[in-house]
Amino acid sequence: MAAGKSGSSRMLEPLKHPSKKSRRDRSLGKSSGRSSRDEAMEQQIWKKLPEDLFEPVIARLPIATFFCFRSVCQRWNSLLTSQSFSQHCAQVPQANPWFYTVTHEHANSGAMYDPSMKKWYHPTISTLPAELIVLPVASAGGLVCFLDIYRQNFYVCNPLTQSLKELPARSVRVGSRASVGMTVNGNSTSAGYKILLVGCDGEYEIYDSVTKSWSHPENMPADIKLPLSLNFRSHAVSIDSTLYFMHSDPEGIVSYDMATGVWMQYIIPAPLHLTDHMLAECDGRILLVGLLTKNAATCICIWELQKMTFLWKEVDRMPNVWCLDFYGKHVRMTCLGNKGLLMLSLRSRQMNRLVTYNIASREWVKVPACLVPHGRKRQWVAHGTAFYPCLTAMA
């Protein structure tokens, strides 16, 4: 029994650990423990990194790291104009788009949101005159098309690299009742891009970056009913070379093929009790996101256009728990992006909320508030568009 007692007591004794060192001592130990030989070996390893792996590795880094690695050295900064680096970037599959937005407080500067990192960036396009008030109205291939709302001049810019071009003046002046669409020639902007400006009365102009000029074709065909109900907030949806616009009277969609120059009109009844709404696209499918308001209840719904019947079919709606926050409030909705991942701005007198909706995974996520740089004041997002970030896209 004595032996058993002593054995059990030994089992219950706490394990003896070496004495803990302070964080400062541990850091000093690490620094003193590393020999110059180890550092030399690390330098030799990275010094012998194969040249053919350098650009593929850089191209696969998260887009957000671009803001840091560009200032490392002249060689890294020169990658933006490298043809081989551009090809490596084209091979990297595009994940979620980013969002370029404009706030009420800073109408002449923007805020970019990265949904993967859930982080806001506040770039300043230094080449734009500070007195201009420009709105992002379209995007394609990593480029964003801006419109000066007073002089109605167009600018094309890469928000990441600040590559900027002012487009030449147009022959026809269109008021605010117009819409803009943008497509690329092929898979990237290296082969050029086109911008379509459509007015409510059927007049339209096309800018071609290859010819660097606007063309003014004939008006729409007579079988398309006019006037169109358009504005610069109603973003077009692009699938391949075709742009789609919402049309409210009669209800439906108007499309234009940038490659063939053919206009089409589809009469599609809108869902009942629909207020604010906008077209969206995912993997070649056309969708409709809208605000349903009946009595005091409000909900956001997603519909998909059926190719056989040309009718809208509801496929999802915002969770009821979130919709309860809208009860009894006069809510307005703006869709800031319509390319696979949607950003919705929901606002009323008592509320200002941003949410994203992933069409493929049907996931709703609340967006963190957009704060003033180096401050705590919350900004009201007024306008925006989605774009797929591309380091090598040139305006």
Side-chain angles (χ1 to χ4, degrees):
M1 289 180 63
K5 188 175 181 180
S6 61
S8 61
S9 64
R10 283 196 299 270
M11 291 177 63
L12 294 175
E13 286 177 0
L15 295 176
K16 293 183 178 180
H17 296 279
S19 59
K20 279 192 173 182
K21 295 182 179 180
S22 66
R23 184 178 297 177
R24 180 173 178 272
D25 293 338
R26 289 199 303 270
S27 62
L28 289 174
K30 287 182 180 179
S31 61
S32 60
R34 176 180 290 179
S35 65
S36 60
R37 182 173 175 271
D38 293 336
E39 292 182 357
M41 287 182 63
E42 289 182 4
Q43 292 177 6
Q44 291 298 322
I45 291 174
W46 290 107
K47 190 175 181 180
K48 294 182 178 180
L49 179 69
E51 288 290 329
D52 56 346
L53 291 181
F54 180 74
E55 289 188 358
V57 169
I58 297 294
R60 283 161 175 79
L61 291 176
I63 291 293
T65 60
F66 158 77
F67 300 105
C68 299
F69 87 74
R70 189 179 181 182
S71 60
V72 171
C73 60
Q74 292 182 354
R75 182 189 176 191
W76 285 31
N77 188 38
S78 65
L79 288 176
L80 300 177
T81 57
S82 168
Q83 184 65 27
S84 58
F85 181 67
S86 178
Q87 294 174 355
H88 287 302
C89 289
Q91 296 173 2
V92 179
Q94 294 180 328
N96 290 327
W98 284 27
F99 298 92
Y100 189 96
T101 66
V102 174
T103 62
H104 282 289
E105 294 83 357
H106 298 83
N108 57 349
S109 64
M112 291 191 302
Y113 179 68
D114 176 6
S116 300
M117 303 296 292
K118 296 184 178 180
K119 186 175 180 180
W120 287 95
Y121 300 93
H122 298 271
T124 300
I125 304 177
S126 56
T127 49
L128 273 177
E131 67 274 7
L132 293 184
I133 299 180
V134 293
L135 297 180
V137 292
S139 69
L143 299 177
V144 177
C145 178
F146 294 90
L147 170 67
D148 177 3
I149 60 176
Y150 292 130
R151 296 187 298 175
Q152 293 202 349
N153 291 342
F154 282 92
Y155 300 84
V156 175
C157 174
N158 185 334
L160 297 181
T161 64
Q162 297 196 14
S163 168
L164 178 75
K165 175 190 290 185
E166 181 178 0
L167 303 189
R170 306 185 321 277
S171 59
V172 178
R173 184 174 179 85
V174 180
S176 60
R177 296 180 60 190
S179 190
V180 181
M182 187 175 181
T183 60
V184 295
N185 303 331
N187 297 325
S188 67
T189 57
S190 59
Y193 55 86
K194 293 181 180 179
I195 297 174
L196 172 66
L197 172 64
V198 185
C200 61
D201 56 357
E203 289 189 347
Y204 65 98
E205 288 185 278
I206 300 174
Y207 176 80
D208 191 336
S209 66
V210 177
T211 62
K212 299 180 181 180
S213 62
W214 291 91
S215 61
H216 182 55
E218 298 179 357
N219 287 357
M220 294 182 182
D223 57 345
I224 295 183
K225 297 182 178 180
L226 299 175
L228 302 176
S229 179
L230 302 172
N231 60 69
F232 288 121
R233 294 180 181 272
S234 57
H235 295 290
V237 164
S238 61
I239 301 177
D240 297 328
S241 62
T242 304
L243 293 169
Y244 298 86
F245 302 87
M246 284 294 299
H247 188 221
S248 60
D249 188 18
E251 296 170 339
I253 296 175
V254 176
S255 68
Y256 179 74
D257 193 322
M258 299 283 270
T260 63
V262 176
W263 285 95
M264 297 288 291
Q265 186 174 33
Y266 308 91
I267 307 301
I268 308 170
L272 297 176
H273 311 293
L274 181 65
T275 54
D276 299 338
H277 58 281
M278 185 175 292
L279 288 179
E281 178 271 334
C282 181
D283 298 329
R285 298 176 294 146
I286 298 178
L287 298 104
L288 178 69
V289 53
L291 201 65
L292 280 184
T293 302
K294 186 178 181 180
N295 298 330
T298 301
C299 183
I300 298 175
C301 296
I302 311 293
W303 296 267
E304 182 178 345
L305 182 62
Q306 305 301 297
K307 295 182 179 180
M308 297 297 294
T309 61
F310 276 93
L311 295 175
W312 296 111
K313 178 183 178 182
E314 184 178 333
V315 293
D316 200 7
R317 61 173 53 196
M318 181 178 280
N320 292 331
V321 177
W322 290 16
C323 294
L324 289 176
D325 295 339
F326 310 148
Y327 189 83
K329 300 175 183 177
H330 182 63
V331 180
R332 300 303 305 269
M333 184 196 76
T334 302
C335 189
L336 307 177
N338 54 8
K339 303 176 185 296
L341 185 69
L342 313 179
M343 178 183 278
L344 308 176
S345 172
L346 305 167
R347 61 199 183 280
S348 67
R349 290 184 177 179
Q350 305 89 356
M351 179 187 66
N352 176 27
R353 181 175 301 173
L354 292 172
V355 298
T356 58
Y357 175 73
N358 191 310
I359 297 176
S361 62
R362 298 187 177 184
E363 182 182 11
W364 300 84
V365 177
K366 293 182 179 180
V367 176
C370 179
L371 303 179
V372 176
H374 311 295
R376 296 183 179 182
K377 183 180 178 181
R378 185 172 182 173
Q379 295 182 302
W380 284 59
V381 174
H383 197 81
T385 187
F387 73 100
Y388 283 97
C390 179
L391 299 178
T392 57
M394 299 296 292

